[in-house]
Amino acid sequence: MEPTDGKSLDRAWPAQCPDGKSQFEIRIDFPLGCPVNVAANVVASAHSLGNCPQAWLNGALVMKNNATAIRVEYIKGATRHRDYLVFSIRVPADPGLNSKDLMMLLSGVNEQMTNEKNQLKGLSYNITWACPKCIRRNDGDVQTFPWAPPF
């Protein structure tokens, strides 16, 4: 793993989801602010999901053998009430793959956040999923919805 510079990250994870790929994203919002160790734990745990060719202070890009790319990043808001972790996954486009299937791929995030909350009493967070069409538009206006895992 090498430290990431902006240009190499842009090549590995372009802002616009490439043709032939589908992207799904969940966000973990922290209305009371995100403790530094929670962000570090989530980003560090992403390394175990596959090969981590790029990492930076608040994020990681992980590649899996099946051409799946995962980007985990802590986004510091203008105020602490706007802090969030973003967990994005890009998979090869497959007409048989729907949002429910992608949610299943992200099921470990909910489990990890439950563990974090058990260790840090009082941790407040909300998990939301981002509208895939909003992500595809890439105009910065992403609508999110409460995440209710299908299991």
Side-chain angles (χ1 to χ4, degrees), residues 110-128:
N110 188 52
E111 182 180 332
Q112 180 170 0
M113 290 309 299
T114 300
N115 291 339
E116 294 289 344
K117 189 170 189 171
N118 289 338
Q119 292 177 11
L120 290 171
K121 300 299 181 200
L123 178 65
S124 177
Y125 66 89
N126 302 304
I127 299 178
T128 60

Side-chain angles (χ1 to χ4, degrees), residues 4 8-9 12-13 46-47 51-56 59-63 69-72:
T4 299
S8 65
L9 183 58
W13 188 279
H47 291 239
N51 178 29
C52 185
Q54 298 188 2
W56 55 102
L61 180 63
V62 177
M63 305 301 287
I70 301 168
R71 181 174 175 163
V72 180

Side-chain angles (χ1 to χ4, degrees), residues 28-111:
I28 305 165
D29 300 306
F30 297 92
L32 302 176
C34 179
V36 176
N37 62 324
V38 170
N41 289 346
V42 172
V43 171
S45 70
H47 291 239
S48 69
L49 299 175
N51 178 29
C52 185
Q54 298 188 2
W56 55 102
L57 181 61
N58 293 316
L61 180 63
V62 177
M63 305 301 287
K64 294 181 71 69
N65 292 338
N66 62 354
T68 296
I70 301 168
R71 181 174 175 163
V72 180
E73 186 170 15
Y74 170 60
I75 308 295
K76 183 82 173 142
T79 67
R80 70 181 186 145
H81 306 292
R82 299 287 183 200
D83 294 354
Y84 66 94
L85 281 162
V86 63
F87 196 100
S88 300
I89 184 167
R90 287 183 178 169
V91 295
D94 178 352
L97 189 67
N98 61 35
S99 295
K100 185 176 178 180
D101 296 326
L102 288 171
M103 279 188 191
M104 292 301 287
L105 291 172
L106 297 168
S107 63
V109 174
N110 188 52
E111 182 180 332

Side-chain angles (χ1 to χ4, degrees), residues 12-28:
W13 188 279
Q16 179 72 38
C17 184
D19 290 338
K21 294 273 187 178
S22 295
Q23 181 172 333
F24 187 76
E25 181 175 298
I26 60 173
R27 295 180 180 196
I28 305 165

